[in-house]
Amino acid sequence: MSMEGADSGFAASADGSQNQSPSPRKSPPSPPDHEEKTTHIKFLLSNAEAGSVIGKGGSTINDFQTQSGARIQLSRNFEFFPGTSDRIVMVSGLIDDVLKAVDLILSKLLDEFYVEEGGEDPRFKVRLVVPNGCCGGIIGKGGSIIKSLIEDSHAGIKISPLDNSYPGLYDRLVTVNGTLREQMRAIELILLKLAEDLHYVQSVSAPFPYPVGYNGMNYASNGVGGKFQNARSQNKQEERSNSVTIGVADEHIGLVVGRGGRNIFEISQLSGARIKISERGDFMSGTSDRKVTITGSQRAIRAAEAMISQKVSPVSER
């Protein structure tokens, strides 16, 4: 999802969330005539929302799984959907079970983050994660299918363009905006379309299928004995090497690291490369550039270099 207005800076943990049952306000139950098909759906949650869904000691997520019969999985903390600070929740099982689980999740989050005293049926957004190759089945020729989905559900439905700036990302976000009842009807219709798509059925994977170089960050000095190369003069040596060290001006290193290490983690996560930054005062020989060592496959290294360049180039005179 992530539902707008939630505090995405809250660290989700099993110990930090209340375990409360969803309110009695519910969307209508799904028709009982759905085929007994196994399917899945993914959507985005902020860290705060993820903590709410997990519940204390995992109590809420276990309760929702028991009530619905569906399996609910979340990407790990700091495994964010590319370009966001939101985690991914995947619900899998029979169609009706999946819809019941999604209803339980959205109802709880609606109560916890959106309902004000005396407020009625607030509208909020859910962002579904759908493979690019399956979006055509939701859009239809000339937009005919998505138009019918909007008319039937009364929800707003928008499909984002594929963001080519993230290597290994082949998913798009389908944003569904409306009341809980409208959203659940739209999600039901979308899920029924996707369940007919063989590619979608086969695309089921872990909640976080994107390239990850490593979990965690390492800012330690890269040690001694390495040959340092300029990013523009790697030539044949790069072809034999799985590690490249480039220089980044000391005053610009913060742009690479980002607040709380967010940028460097995202670059590593998306490129699949491991990145180390030298300690303060440890410069490339004869310069005031900090050493940024990138380790991984040649493709991962090139991707990481490009992302670092994107961060630094707007403030660089080079």
Side-chain angles (χ1 to χ4, degrees):
M1 233 156 53
S2 158
M3 297 162 63
E4 289 188 344
D7 176 14
S8 60
F10 180 87
S13 70
D15 298 327
S17 310
Q18 295 179 350
N19 177 27
Q20 62 183 59
S21 58
S23 82
R25 180 179 57 260
K26 282 284 177 289
S27 57
S30 303
D33 57 353
H34 288 160
E35 281 188 65
E36 292 293 289
K37 283 185 177 179
T38 300
T39 190
H40 68 283
I41 195 164
K42 296 180 183 180
F43 51 96
L44 304 188
L45 296 172
S46 71
N47 262 334
E49 291 163 358
S52 173
V53 170
I54 293 167
K56 189 173 184 179
S59 56
T60 303
I61 195 170
N62 289 336
D63 184 39
F64 285 178
Q65 289 184 115
T66 301
Q67 286 186 54
S68 65
R71 185 181 186 195
I72 304 171
Q73 300 166 271
L74 283 99
S75 65
R76 287 177 292 184
N77 204 9
F78 300 117
E79 285 186 343
F80 300 138
F81 184 81
T84 76
S85 56
D86 297 313
R87 289 164 71 178
I88 302 162
V89 58
M90 183 173 80
V91 183
S92 54
L94 298 175
I95 291 178
D96 285 347
D97 294 347
V98 168
L99 289 169
K100 184 172 183 180
V102 173
D103 193 6
L104 288 168
I105 292 170
L106 297 190
S107 296
K108 178 171 175 58
L109 298 181
L110 179 61
D111 287 340
E112 198 154 321
F113 295 98
Y114 289 90
V115 172
E116 298 177 3
E117 205 62 42
E120 291 185 6
D121 292 335
R123 296 177 69 86
F124 58 101
K125 293 180 180 180
V126 180
R127 285 182 290 167
L128 310 178
V129 179
V130 178
N132 182 48
C134 302
C135 287
I138 299 173
I139 297 169
K141 189 175 182 180
S144 58
I145 293 178
I146 194 169
K147 184 179 179 183
S148 71
L149 298 178
I150 292 169
E151 289 175 351
D152 188 324
S153 66
H154 302 291
I157 304 173
K158 291 184 178 179
I159 301 179
S160 71
L162 185 64
D163 192 339
N164 292 316
S165 61
Y166 296 100
L169 175 63
Y170 304 106
D171 290 329
R172 291 161 76 175
L173 294 178
V174 178
T175 302
V176 180
N177 180 38
T179 64
L180 177 62
R181 180 187 296 262
E182 292 165 349
Q183 286 180 339
M184 285 307 304
R185 178 58 179 163
I187 291 169
E188 176 185 354
L189 294 170
I190 290 169
L191 195 54
L192 289 173
K193 286 289 181 188
L194 292 173
E196 298 170 0
D197 187 327
L198 185 60
H199 175 69
Y200 184 77
V201 174
Q202 293 174 341
S203 72
V204 63
S205 60
F208 192 82
Y210 311 106
V212 181
Y214 64 109
N215 291 317
M217 288 163 279
N218 188 343
Y219 300 124
S221 169
N222 57 8
V224 296
K227 283 194 174 182
F228 302 121
Q229 302 166 275
N230 184 281
R232 293 179 175 82
S233 61
Q234 289 151 15
N235 300 326
K236 294 181 181 178
Q237 189 174 355
E238 181 189 2
E239 298 305 316
R240 300 192 301 269
S241 172
N242 288 320
S243 183
V244 173
T245 298
I246 61 175
V248 173
D250 192 38
E251 65 267 27
H252 297 155
I253 207 73
L255 298 171
V256 178
V257 175
R259 179 175 291 182
R262 178 176 172 180
N263 289 356
I264 193 172
F265 180 81
E266 184 178 76
I267 292 168
S268 175
Q269 189 177 22
L270 297 172
S271 67
R274 181 175 179 176
I275 302 168
K276 287 185 181 179
I277 297 178
S278 64
E279 294 174 346
R280 289 180 181 175
D282 184 4
F283 299 132
M284 298 278 280
S285 180
T287 74
S288 60
D289 290 350
R290 297 272 285 279
K291 303 168 188 173
V292 179
T293 302
I294 308 167
T295 305
S297 68
Q298 295 304 315
R299 181 176 179 180
I301 290 170
R302 285 195 296 270
E305 283 180 336
M307 292 180 207
I308 290 170
S309 177
Q310 281 182 341
K311 298 288 185 190
V312 175
S313 59
V315 296
S316 175
E317 293 298 319
R318 295 179 191 176

